[in-house]
Amino acid sequence: MAQLLADHPALIPGGPVRVDVDADPQLRSRWGDHVPVTFVDGVLIAYWHLDRDTLLRALTEGPRQVAVVP
């Protein structure tokens, strides 16, 4: 993420928003076994693992929901 932001700073104005799933009981209940989870514009694009290409594609072409939602 850091390198992608350095290479393309305009893709995430203000930077990414990090949410501590463990700090919220509802989020922990829903996502606790799947962190990290990554959303772009409210769409789940990855969980457990996020690769640079998936994130870059979501930011440039628009997010696509992962095929299997946990």
Side-chain angles (χ1 to χ4, degrees):
M1 171 102 44
Q3 187 60 51
L4 186 131
L5 288 173
D7 293 343
H8 307 280
L11 288 179
I12 307 176
V17 175
R18 293 180 183 215
V19 175
D20 182 358
V21 170
D22 290 326
D24 181 312
Q26 288 181 322
L27 292 176
R28 185 176 49 246
S29 173
R30 175 65 180 103
W31 299 110
D33 293 336
H34 298 92
V35 293
V37 291
T38 306
F39 292 84
V40 171
D41 294 336
V43 177
L44 176 66
I45 65 161
Y47 57 94
W48 290 327
H49 175 77
L50 175 65
D51 63 81
R52 184 182 193 281
D53 293 337
T54 298
L55 180 57
L56 184 58
R57 186 173 43 253
L59 294 171
T60 57
E61 299 174 13
R64 289 183 232 159
Q65 179 91 24
V66 293
V68 176
V69 178

Short mmCIF file of all heavy atoms in Angstrom, two decimals:
data_model
loop_
_atom_site.label_atom_id
_atom_site.label_comp_id
_atom_site.label_asym_id
_atom_site.label_seq_id
_atom_site.Cartn_x
_atom_site.Cartn_y
_atom_site.Cartn_z
N MET A 1 0.82 -1.18 0.00
CA MET A 1 0.00 0.00 0.00
C MET A 1 0.87 1.25 0.00
O MET A 1 0.59 2.18 -0.74
CB MET A 1 -0.93 -0.01 1.21
CG MET A 1 -1.69 1.26 1.43
SD MET A 1 -3.40 1.38 0.94
CE MET A 1 -4.15 -0.08 1.46
N ALA A 2 1.91 1.24 0.80
CA ALA A 2 2.76 2.42 0.89
C ALA A 2 3.40 2.75 -0.45
O ALA A 2 3.43 3.92 -0.85
CB ALA A 2 3.83 2.22 1.96
N GLN A 3 3.89 1.75 -1.16
CA GLN A 3 4.52 2.00 -2.45
C GLN A 3 3.49 2.47 -3.48
O GLN A 3 3.75 3.38 -4.25
CB GLN A 3 5.24 0.75 -2.96
CG GLN A 3 6.04 1.01 -4.22
CD GLN A 3 7.13 2.06 -4.01
OE1 GLN A 3 7.91 1.98 -3.07
NE2 GLN A 3 7.16 3.07 -4.87
N LEU A 4 2.31 1.87 -3.47
CA LEU A 4 1.27 2.29 -4.40
C LEU A 4 0.88 3.75 -4.15
O LEU A 4 0.73 4.53 -5.07
CB LEU A 4 0.04 1.39 -4.27
CG LEU A 4 -1.04 1.67 -5.30
CD1 LEU A 4 -1.47 0.38 -5.95
CD2 LEU A 4 -2.19 2.37 -4.66
N LEU A 5 0.75 4.13 -2.89
CA LEU A 5 0.43 5.51 -2.55
C LEU A 5 1.54 6.47 -2.96
O LEU A 5 1.27 7.58 -3.41
CB LEU A 5 0.15 5.65 -1.06
CG LEU A 5 -1.17 5.06 -0.58
CD1 LEU A 5 -1.25 5.09 0.93
CD2 LEU A 5 -2.34 5.77 -1.19
N ALA A 6 2.78 6.02 -2.82
CA ALA A 6 3.91 6.86 -3.24
C ALA A 6 3.93 7.04 -4.76
O ALA A 6 4.20 8.12 -5.26
CB ALA A 6 5.22 6.25 -2.76
N ASP A 7 3.60 5.96 -5.48
CA ASP A 7 3.60 6.01 -6.95
C ASP A 7 2.38 6.74 -7.51
O ASP A 7 2.45 7.33 -8.58
CB ASP A 7 3.63 4.59 -7.53
CG ASP A 7 4.93 3.86 -7.25
OD1 ASP A 7 5.93 4.53 -6.89
OD2 ASP A 7 4.94 2.62 -7.37
N HIS A 8 1.24 6.66 -6.82
CA HIS A 8 -0.03 7.22 -7.31
C HIS A 8 -0.76 7.95 -6.18
O HIS A 8 -1.85 7.54 -5.76
CB HIS A 8 -0.92 6.10 -7.85
CG HIS A 8 -0.29 5.22 -8.86
ND1 HIS A 8 -0.17 5.58 -10.18
CD2 HIS A 8 0.28 4.00 -8.75
CE1 HIS A 8 0.44 4.61 -10.84
NE2 HIS A 8 0.72 3.65 -9.99
N PRO A 9 -0.22 9.04 -5.68
CA PRO A 9 -0.83 9.71 -4.51
C PRO A 9 -2.24 10.22 -4.76
O PRO A 9 -3.03 10.33 -3.82
CB PRO A 9 0.14 10.85 -4.20
CG PRO A 9 0.90 11.07 -5.46
CD PRO A 9 0.97 9.75 -6.15
N ALA A 10 -2.61 10.52 -5.99
CA ALA A 10 -3.94 11.06 -6.26
C ALA A 10 -5.04 9.99 -6.21
O ALA A 10 -6.22 10.33 -6.19
CB ALA A 10 -3.96 11.74 -7.63
N LEU A 11 -4.67 8.72 -6.18
CA LEU A 11 -5.69 7.67 -6.19
C LEU A 11 -6.46 7.58 -4.87
O LEU A 11 -7.61 7.15 -4.85
CB LEU A 11 -5.05 6.31 -6.49
CG LEU A 11 -4.59 6.11 -7.92
CD1 LEU A 11 -3.94 4.73 -8.07
CD2 LEU A 11 -5.74 6.25 -8.89
N ILE A 12 -5.83 7.96 -3.77
CA ILE A 12 -6.50 7.93 -2.47
C ILE A 12 -6.28 9.28 -1.81
O ILE A 12 -5.41 9.43 -0.95
CB ILE A 12 -5.98 6.79 -1.58
CG1 ILE A 12 -6.05 5.45 -2.30
CG2 ILE A 12 -6.79 6.72 -0.27
CD1 ILE A 12 -5.47 4.29 -1.50
N PRO A 13 -7.08 10.27 -2.20
CA PRO A 13 -6.91 11.60 -1.59
C PRO A 13 -7.11 11.51 -0.07
O PRO A 13 -8.07 10.93 0.40
CB PRO A 13 -8.02 12.43 -2.23
CG PRO A 13 -8.42 11.68 -3.45
CD PRO A 13 -8.15 10.24 -3.17
N GLY A 14 -6.18 12.05 0.66
CA GLY A 14 -6.27 11.99 2.12
C GLY A 14 -5.76 10.69 2.71
O GLY A 14 -5.70 10.55 3.93
N GLY A 15 -5.43 9.73 1.88
CA GLY A 15 -4.90 8.46 2.35
C GLY A 15 -5.97 7.47 2.73
O GLY A 15 -7.15 7.80 2.81
N PRO A 16 -5.56 6.23 2.99
CA PRO A 16 -6.53 5.18 3.35
C PRO A 16 -7.08 5.40 4.75
O PRO A 16 -6.45 6.04 5.59
CB PRO A 16 -5.69 3.90 3.29
CG PRO A 16 -4.29 4.35 3.50
CD PRO A 16 -4.19 5.74 2.94
N VAL A 17 -8.25 4.85 4.99
CA VAL A 17 -8.87 4.89 6.31
C VAL A 17 -8.69 3.51 6.93
O VAL A 17 -9.08 2.51 6.34
CB VAL A 17 -10.37 5.24 6.21
CG1 VAL A 17 -11.03 5.15 7.57
CG2 VAL A 17 -10.56 6.60 5.59
N ARG A 18 -8.09 3.48 8.10
CA ARG A 18 -7.90 2.22 8.81
C ARG A 18 -8.94 2.12 9.92
O ARG A 18 -9.18 3.08 10.63
CB ARG A 18 -6.51 2.13 9.41
CG ARG A 18 -5.45 2.05 8.36
CD ARG A 18 -4.09 1.97 8.99
NE ARG A 18 -3.10 1.95 7.94
CZ ARG A 18 -1.98 1.28 8.00
NH1 ARG A 18 -1.69 0.58 9.08
NH2 ARG A 18 -1.13 1.30 7.01
N VAL A 19 -9.52 0.95 10.05
CA VAL A 19 -10.52 0.70 11.08
C VAL A 19 -10.05 -0.50 11.90
O VAL A 19 -9.72 -1.55 11.34
CB VAL A 19 -11.90 0.41 10.45
CG1 VAL A 19 -12.91 0.03 11.52
CG2 VAL A 19 -12.37 1.59 9.63
N ASP A 20 -10.03 -0.34 13.21
CA ASP A 20 -9.64 -1.43 14.11
C ASP A 20 -10.86 -2.32 14.34
O ASP A 20 -11.76 -1.98 15.10
CB ASP A 20 -9.12 -0.87 15.42
CG ASP A 20 -8.64 -1.94 16.39
OD1 ASP A 20 -8.75 -3.15 16.07
OD2 ASP A 20 -8.18 -1.56 17.47
N VAL A 21 -10.90 -3.44 13.65
CA VAL A 21 -12.03 -4.36 13.75
C VAL A 21 -12.21 -4.85 15.19
O VAL A 21 -13.34 -5.01 15.66
CB VAL A 21 -11.83 -5.55 12.78
CG1 VAL A 21 -12.83 -6.64 13.02
CG2 VAL A 21 -11.90 -5.06 11.34
N ASP A 22 -11.12 -5.04 15.90
CA ASP A 22 -11.21 -5.54 17.27
C ASP A 22 -11.80 -4.53 18.24
O ASP A 22 -12.24 -4.89 19.33
CB ASP A 22 -9.84 -5.99 17.77
CG ASP A 22 -9.38 -7.24 17.06
OD1 ASP A 22 -10.23 -8.09 16.72
OD2 ASP A 22 -8.17 -7.38 16.85
N ALA A 23 -11.82 -3.26 17.87
CA ALA A 23 -12.34 -2.21 18.76
C ALA A 23 -13.86 -2.11 18.72
O ALA A 23 -14.45 -1.44 19.56
CB ALA A 23 -11.72 -0.87 18.40
N ASP A 24 -14.50 -2.77 17.77
CA ASP A 24 -15.95 -2.68 17.62
C ASP A 24 -16.53 -4.10 17.64
O ASP A 24 -16.23 -4.90 16.75
CB ASP A 24 -16.28 -1.99 16.29
CG ASP A 24 -17.75 -1.82 16.05
OD1 ASP A 24 -18.52 -2.79 16.23
OD2 ASP A 24 -18.15 -0.72 15.64
N PRO A 25 -17.37 -4.42 18.63
CA PRO A 25 -17.91 -5.78 18.73
C PRO A 25 -18.65 -6.25 17.47
O PRO A 25 -18.54 -7.42 17.10
CB PRO A 25 -18.85 -5.71 19.93
CG PRO A 25 -18.35 -4.56 20.74
CD PRO A 25 -17.79 -3.58 19.75
N GLN A 26 -19.39 -5.37 16.82
CA GLN A 26 -20.11 -5.77 15.61
C GLN A 26 -19.15 -6.08 14.47
O GLN A 26 -19.33 -7.07 13.75
CB GLN A 26 -21.10 -4.70 15.18
CG GLN A 26 -22.30 -4.60 16.09
CD GLN A 26 -23.28 -3.55 15.63
OE1 GLN A 26 -22.89 -2.49 15.15
NE2 GLN A 26 -24.56 -3.85 15.77
N LEU A 27 -18.14 -5.24 14.30
CA LEU A 27 -17.15 -5.50 13.25
C LEU A 27 -16.36 -6.77 13.56
O LEU A 27 -16.08 -7.57 12.67
CB LEU A 27 -16.21 -4.31 13.08
CG LEU A 27 -16.82 -3.04 12.51
CD1 LEU A 27 -15.79 -1.93 12.49
CD2 LEU A 27 -17.38 -3.29 11.12
N ARG A 28 -15.98 -6.94 14.82
CA ARG A 28 -15.23 -8.14 15.20
C ARG A 28 -16.06 -9.39 14.94
O ARG A 28 -15.55 -10.39 14.43
CB ARG A 28 -14.81 -8.06 16.67
CG ARG A 28 -13.94 -9.23 17.09
CD ARG A 28 -13.42 -9.13 18.52
NE ARG A 28 -14.45 -8.83 19.49
CZ ARG A 28 -14.53 -7.70 20.20
NH1 ARG A 28 -13.63 -6.76 20.04
NH2 ARG A 28 -15.49 -7.52 21.07
N SER A 29 -17.35 -9.33 15.24
CA SER A 29 -18.22 -10.47 15.01
C SER A 29 -18.32 -10.80 13.52
O SER A 29 -18.32 -11.96 13.13
CB SER A 29 -19.62 -10.17 15.56
OG SER A 29 -20.52 -11.18 15.22
N ARG A 30 -18.40 -9.78 12.67
CA ARG A 30 -18.56 -9.99 11.23
C ARG A 30 -17.26 -10.32 10.53
O ARG A 30 -17.21 -11.18 9.66
CB ARG A 30 -19.19 -8.73 10.59
CG ARG A 30 -19.28 -8.77 9.08
CD ARG A 30 -20.24 -9.88 8.64
NE ARG A 30 -20.36 -9.94 7.21
CZ ARG A 30 -19.78 -10.86 6.44
NH1 ARG A 30 -19.00 -11.78 6.99
NH2 ARG A 30 -19.95 -10.87 5.14
N TRP A 31 -16.17 -9.62 10.87
CA TRP A 31 -14.94 -9.71 10.09
C TRP A 31 -13.76 -10.30 10.84
O TRP A 31 -12.69 -10.49 10.24
CB TRP A 31 -14.55 -8.32 9.59
CG TRP A 31 -15.58 -7.73 8.71
CD1 TRP A 31 -16.41 -6.67 9.01
CD2 TRP A 31 -15.95 -8.14 7.40
NE1 TRP A 31 -17.25 -6.42 7.96
CE2 TRP A 31 -17.00 -7.31 6.96
CE3 TRP A 31 -15.50 -9.15 6.55
CZ2 TRP A 31 -17.59 -7.45 5.72
CZ3 TRP A 31 -16.09 -9.29 5.31
CH2 TRP A 31 -17.12 -8.45 4.90
N GLY A 32 -13.90 -10.61 12.12
CA GLY A 32 -12.78 -11.02 12.94
C GLY A 32 -11.93 -12.15 12.38
O GLY A 32 -10.72 -12.18 12.56
N ASP A 33 -12.54 -13.10 11.69
CA ASP A 33 -11.80 -14.23 11.12
C ASP A 33 -11.27 -13.94 9.72
O ASP A 33 -10.65 -14.81 9.11
CB ASP A 33 -12.69 -15.47 11.06
CG ASP A 33 -13.05 -15.99 12.44
OD1 ASP A 33 -12.30 -15.72 13.39
OD2 ASP A 33 -14.08 -16.68 12.56
N HIS A 34 -11.51 -12.75 9.20
CA HIS A 34 -11.16 -12.46 7.81
C HIS A 34 -10.22 -11.27 7.63
O HIS A 34 -9.94 -10.88 6.52
CB HIS A 34 -12.43 -12.22 6.99
CG HIS A 34 -13.32 -13.42 6.97
ND1 HIS A 34 -14.32 -13.60 7.89
CD2 HIS A 34 -13.32 -14.50 6.17
CE1 HIS A 34 -14.92 -14.75 7.65
NE2 HIS A 34 -14.34 -15.33 6.62
N VAL A 35 -9.75 -10.68 8.73
CA VAL A 35 -8.91 -9.51 8.62
C VAL A 35 -7.54 -9.88 8.06
O VAL A 35 -7.07 -10.99 8.30
CB VAL A 35 -8.75 -8.76 9.97
CG1 VAL A 35 -10.06 -8.16 10.40
CG2 VAL A 35 -8.21 -9.67 11.04
N PRO A 36 -6.93 -9.00 7.33
CA PRO A 36 -7.47 -7.70 6.96
C PRO A 36 -8.53 -7.81 5.87
O PRO A 36 -8.46 -8.69 5.01
CB PRO A 36 -6.26 -6.92 6.45
CG PRO A 36 -5.34 -7.97 5.93
CD PRO A 36 -5.57 -9.19 6.80
N VAL A 37 -9.51 -6.95 5.95
CA VAL A 37 -10.51 -6.81 4.89
C VAL A 37 -10.30 -5.45 4.25
O VAL A 37 -9.96 -4.49 4.93
CB VAL A 37 -11.96 -6.95 5.41
CG1 VAL A 37 -12.25 -8.36 5.85
CG2 VAL A 37 -12.25 -5.99 6.54
N THR A 38 -10.48 -5.38 2.94
CA THR A 38 -10.23 -4.14 2.22
C THR A 38 -11.45 -3.77 1.40
O THR A 38 -11.95 -4.58 0.62
CB THR A 38 -9.01 -4.28 1.29
OG1 THR A 38 -7.89 -4.74 2.05
CG2 THR A 38 -8.66 -2.96 0.63
N PHE A 39 -11.90 -2.54 1.61
CA PHE A 39 -13.03 -1.99 0.87
C PHE A 39 -12.57 -0.80 0.05
O PHE A 39 -11.72 -0.04 0.50
CB PHE A 39 -14.13 -1.50 1.84
CG PHE A 39 -14.81 -2.59 2.59
CD1 PHE A 39 -14.27 -3.11 3.76
CD2 PHE A 39 -16.03 -3.09 2.16
CE1 PHE A 39 -14.91 -4.11 4.48
CE2 PHE A 39 -16.69 -4.09 2.87
CZ PHE A 39 -16.12 -4.60 4.03
N VAL A 40 -13.14 -0.64 -1.12
CA VAL A 40 -12.94 0.56 -1.93
C VAL A 40 -14.33 1.06 -2.27
O VAL A 40 -15.15 0.32 -2.83
CB VAL A 40 -12.12 0.27 -3.22
CG1 VAL A 40 -12.13 1.48 -4.14
CG2 VAL A 40 -10.70 -0.13 -2.86
N ASP A 41 -14.62 2.28 -1.90
CA ASP A 41 -15.94 2.89 -2.12
C ASP A 41 -17.06 2.00 -1.60
O ASP A 41 -18.11 1.85 -2.22
CB ASP A 41 -16.15 3.20 -3.60
CG ASP A 41 -15.21 4.27 -4.11
OD1 ASP A 41 -14.72 5.08 -3.29
OD2 ASP A 41 -14.95 4.31 -5.33
N GLY A 42 -16.84 1.38 -0.44
CA GLY A 42 -17.86 0.56 0.19
C GLY A 42 -17.99 -0.84 -0.35
O GLY A 42 -18.85 -1.61 0.09
N VAL A 43 -17.15 -1.23 -1.31
CA VAL A 43 -17.21 -2.55 -1.91
C VAL A 43 -16.04 -3.39 -1.39
O VAL A 43 -14.89 -2.97 -1.46
CB VAL A 43 -17.14 -2.46 -3.46
CG1 VAL A 43 -17.12 -3.84 -4.09
CG2 VAL A 43 -18.30 -1.64 -3.99
N LEU A 44 -16.34 -4.58 -0.89
CA LEU A 44 -15.31 -5.49 -0.42
C LEU A 44 -14.52 -6.01 -1.61
O LEU A 44 -15.07 -6.67 -2.49
CB LEU A 44 -15.94 -6.66 0.33
CG LEU A 44 -15.00 -7.77 0.80
CD1 LEU A 44 -14.05 -7.25 1.87
CD2 LEU A 44 -15.80 -8.95 1.31
N ILE A 45 -13.23 -5.68 -1.65
CA ILE A 45 -12.41 -6.13 -2.79
C ILE A 45 -11.43 -7.23 -2.39
O ILE A 45 -10.91 -7.93 -3.26
CB ILE A 45 -11.64 -4.97 -3.46
CG1 ILE A 45 -10.62 -4.35 -2.51
CG2 ILE A 45 -12.61 -3.94 -4.01
CD1 ILE A 45 -9.56 -3.54 -3.21
N ALA A 46 -11.17 -7.40 -1.09
CA ALA A 46 -10.22 -8.44 -0.67
C ALA A 46 -10.35 -8.69 0.82
O ALA A 46 -10.72 -7.81 1.58
CB ALA A 46 -8.80 -8.01 -0.98
N TYR A 47 -10.02 -9.92 1.20
CA TYR A 47 -9.86 -10.25 2.62
C TYR A 47 -8.73 -11.25 2.73
O TYR A 47 -8.37 -11.91 1.76
CB TYR A 47 -11.17 -10.77 3.24
CG TYR A 47 -11.77 -11.98 2.59
CD1 TYR A 47 -11.49 -13.25 3.05
CD2 TYR A 47 -12.62 -11.85 1.51
CE1 TYR A 47 -12.05 -14.37 2.45
CE2 TYR A 47 -13.19 -12.96 0.90
CZ TYR A 47 -12.90 -14.22 1.37
OH TYR A 47 -13.43 -15.32 0.78
N TRP A 48 -8.13 -11.31 3.90
CA TRP A 48 -6.94 -12.10 4.22
C TRP A 48 -5.71 -11.61 3.49
O TRP A 48 -4.66 -11.45 4.08
CB TRP A 48 -7.12 -13.58 3.94
CG TRP A 48 -8.08 -14.29 4.85
CD1 TRP A 48 -8.31 -14.02 6.16
CD2 TRP A 48 -8.92 -15.37 4.50
NE1 TRP A 48 -9.26 -14.87 6.66
CE2 TRP A 48 -9.65 -15.72 5.66
CE3 TRP A 48 -9.15 -16.08 3.35
CZ2 TRP A 48 -10.56 -16.75 5.68
CZ3 TRP A 48 -10.06 -17.11 3.36
CH2 TRP A 48 -10.75 -17.44 4.52
N HIS A 49 -5.79 -11.38 2.19
CA HIS A 49 -4.63 -10.96 1.40
C HIS A 49 -5.04 -9.91 0.39
O HIS A 49 -6.08 -10.06 -0.26
CB HIS A 49 -4.03 -12.17 0.68
CG HIS A 49 -2.91 -11.82 -0.23
ND1 HIS A 49 -1.65 -11.54 0.22
CD2 HIS A 49 -2.87 -11.68 -1.57
CE1 HIS A 49 -0.87 -11.24 -0.81
NE2 HIS A 49 -1.59 -11.32 -1.90
N LEU A 50 -4.24 -8.88 0.25
CA LEU A 50 -4.49 -7.86 -0.76
C LEU A 50 -3.21 -7.68 -1.57
O LEU A 50 -2.16 -7.41 -1.01
CB LEU A 50 -4.86 -6.52 -0.11
CG LEU A 50 -5.01 -5.33 -1.07
CD1 LEU A 50 -6.18 -5.55 -2.03
CD2 LEU A 50 -5.17 -4.04 -0.30
N ASP A 51 -3.32 -7.87 -2.88
CA ASP A 51 -2.14 -7.64 -3.71
C ASP A 51 -2.26 -6.29 -4.40
O ASP A 51 -3.34 -5.72 -4.54
CB ASP A 51 -1.95 -8.77 -4.73
CG ASP A 51 -3.10 -8.86 -5.71
OD1 ASP A 51 -3.11 -8.09 -6.68
OD2 ASP A 51 -3.99 -9.71 -5.49
N ARG A 52 -1.12 -5.78 -4.80
CA ARG A 52 -1.02 -4.45 -5.39
C ARG A 52 -1.92 -4.31 -6.62
O ARG A 52 -2.60 -3.31 -6.79
CB ARG A 52 0.44 -4.16 -5.76
CG ARG A 52 0.67 -2.78 -6.29
CD ARG A 52 2.15 -2.61 -6.68
NE ARG A 52 2.50 -1.24 -6.92
CZ ARG A 52 2.24 -0.58 -8.04
NH1 ARG A 52 1.60 -1.17 -9.02
NH2 ARG A 52 2.60 0.68 -8.18
N ASP A 53 -1.93 -5.31 -7.49
CA ASP A 53 -2.72 -5.23 -8.72
C ASP A 53 -4.22 -5.13 -8.46
O ASP A 53 -4.92 -4.38 -9.12
CB ASP A 53 -2.42 -6.41 -9.64
CG ASP A 53 -1.01 -6.39 -10.18
OD1 ASP A 53 -0.40 -5.30 -10.23
OD2 ASP A 53 -0.51 -7.46 -10.58
N THR A 54 -4.70 -5.88 -7.49
CA THR A 54 -6.12 -5.83 -7.14
C THR A 54 -6.50 -4.44 -6.64
O THR A 54 -7.52 -3.87 -7.05
CB THR A 54 -6.46 -6.89 -6.07
OG1 THR A 54 -6.20 -8.19 -6.62
CG2 THR A 54 -7.91 -6.79 -5.63
N LEU A 55 -5.67 -3.89 -5.76
CA LEU A 55 -5.96 -2.56 -5.24
C LEU A 55 -5.86 -1.50 -6.33
O LEU A 55 -6.75 -0.65 -6.46
CB LEU A 55 -5.01 -2.22 -4.09
CG LEU A 55 -5.20 -0.85 -3.45
CD1 LEU A 55 -6.63 -0.68 -2.94
CD2 LEU A 55 -4.18 -0.64 -2.34
N LEU A 56 -4.83 -1.56 -7.15
CA LEU A 56 -4.66 -0.57 -8.21
C LEU A 56 -5.82 -0.64 -9.20
O LEU A 56 -6.38 0.38 -9.59
CB LEU A 56 -3.33 -0.79 -8.94
CG LEU A 56 -2.99 0.22 -10.02
CD1 LEU A 56 -2.94 1.64 -9.45
CD2 LEU A 56 -1.66 -0.14 -10.67
N ARG A 57 -6.25 -1.84 -9.55
CA ARG A 57 -7.38 -2.00 -10.47
C ARG A 57 -8.66 -1.42 -9.86
O ARG A 57 -9.44 -0.73 -10.52
CB ARG A 57 -7.56 -3.47 -10.84
CG ARG A 57 -8.62 -3.71 -11.90
CD ARG A 57 -8.69 -5.16 -12.39
NE ARG A 57 -8.61 -6.16 -11.33
CZ ARG A 57 -7.53 -6.93 -11.11
NH1 ARG A 57 -6.46 -6.85 -11.84
NH2 ARG A 57 -7.56 -7.81 -10.13
N ALA A 58 -8.89 -1.68 -8.58
CA ALA A 58 -10.09 -1.16 -7.91
C ALA A 58 -10.09 0.36 -7.87
O ALA A 58 -11.14 0.99 -8.02
CB ALA A 58 -10.19 -1.73 -6.50
N LEU A 59 -8.91 0.93 -7.68
CA LEU A 59 -8.82 2.39 -7.59
C LEU A 59 -8.89 3.07 -8.95
O LEU A 59 -9.34 4.21 -9.04
CB LEU A 59 -7.52 2.79 -6.88
CG LEU A 59 -7.43 2.38 -5.41
CD1 LEU A 59 -6.03 2.63 -4.88
CD2 LEU A 59 -8.48 3.10 -4.59
N THR A 60 -8.47 2.41 -10.01
CA THR A 60 -8.45 3.03 -11.32
C THR A 60 -9.65 2.66 -12.19
O THR A 60 -10.13 3.47 -12.96
CB THR A 60 -7.16 2.69 -12.09
OG1 THR A 60 -7.04 1.27 -12.21
CG2 THR A 60 -5.94 3.27 -11.38
N GLU A 61 -10.14 1.41 -12.04
CA GLU A 61 -11.25 0.94 -12.89
C GLU A 61 -12.57 0.83 -12.13
O GLU A 61 -13.60 0.58 -12.74
CB GLU A 61 -10.89 -0.42 -13.48
CG GLU A 61 -9.66 -0.40 -14.35
CD GLU A 61 -9.24 -1.78 -14.81
OE1 GLU A 61 -10.03 -2.74 -14.67
OE2 GLU A 61 -8.11 -1.91 -15.31
N GLY A 62 -12.50 0.95 -10.83
CA GLY A 62 -13.68 0.79 -10.00
C GLY A 62 -13.64 -0.54 -9.28
O GLY A 62 -13.11 -1.52 -9.82
N PRO A 63 -14.17 -0.58 -8.08
CA PRO A 63 -14.11 -1.81 -7.29
C PRO A 63 -15.03 -2.88 -7.82
O PRO A 63 -16.10 -2.61 -8.36
CB PRO A 63 -14.55 -1.34 -5.91
CG PRO A 63 -15.41 -0.17 -6.15
CD PRO A 63 -14.84 0.50 -7.37
N ARG A 64 -14.58 -4.13 -7.68
CA ARG A 64 -15.40 -5.29 -8.01
C ARG A 64 -15.45 -6.18 -6.77
O ARG A 64 -14.42 -6.50 -6.20
CB ARG A 64 -14.76 -6.09 -9.15
CG ARG A 64 -14.85 -5.37 -10.47
CD ARG A 64 -14.28 -6.24 -11.57
NE ARG A 64 -13.30 -5.41 -12.27
CZ ARG A 64 -12.33 -5.87 -13.00
NH1 ARG A 64 -12.17 -7.15 -13.15
NH2 ARG A 64 -11.50 -5.06 -13.60
N GLN A 65 -16.66 -6.54 -6.40
CA GLN A 65 -16.86 -7.39 -5.22
C GLN A 65 -16.10 -8.70 -5.40
O GLN A 65 -16.08 -9.25 -6.50
CB GLN A 65 -18.35 -7.69 -5.06
CG GLN A 65 -18.70 -8.57 -3.90
CD GLN A 65 -19.00 -7.80 -2.63
OE1 GLN A 65 -19.36 -6.64 -2.69
NE2 GLN A 65 -18.82 -8.43 -1.51
N VAL A 66 -15.48 -9.18 -4.33
CA VAL A 66 -14.81 -10.47 -4.40
C VAL A 66 -15.84 -11.55 -4.74
O VAL A 66 -17.02 -11.43 -4.41
CB VAL A 66 -14.06 -10.81 -3.09
CG1 VAL A 66 -12.90 -9.89 -2.86
CG2 VAL A 66 -15.00 -10.82 -1.92
N ALA A 67 -15.38 -12.61 -5.39
CA ALA A 67 -16.29 -13.66 -5.84
C ALA A 67 -16.95 -14.40 -4.67
O ALA A 67 -18.12 -14.76 -4.76
CB ALA A 67 -15.53 -14.65 -6.71
N VAL A 68 -16.22 -14.61 -3.61
CA VAL A 68 -16.76 -15.32 -2.45
C VAL A 68 -16.72 -14.35 -1.27
O VAL A 68 -15.67 -13.94 -0.84
CB VAL A 68 -15.92 -16.58 -2.13
CG1 VAL A 68 -16.44 -17.25 -0.88
CG2 VAL A 68 -15.91 -17.53 -3.30
N VAL A 69 -17.89 -14.01 -0.79
CA VAL A 69 -17.98 -13.09 0.35
C VAL A 69 -18.00 -13.93 1.62
O VAL A 69 -18.82 -14.84 1.75
CB VAL A 69 -19.24 -12.22 0.26
CG1 VAL A 69 -19.35 -11.32 1.47
CG2 VAL A 69 -19.22 -11.39 -1.01
N PRO A 70 -17.08 -13.64 2.53
CA PRO A 70 -17.01 -14.44 3.76
C PRO A 70 -18.23 -14.23 4.64
O PRO A 70 -18.91 -13.26 4.58
CB PRO A 70 -15.75 -13.92 4.43
CG PRO A 70 -15.50 -12.58 3.87
CD PRO A 70 -16.11 -12.57 2.52
#
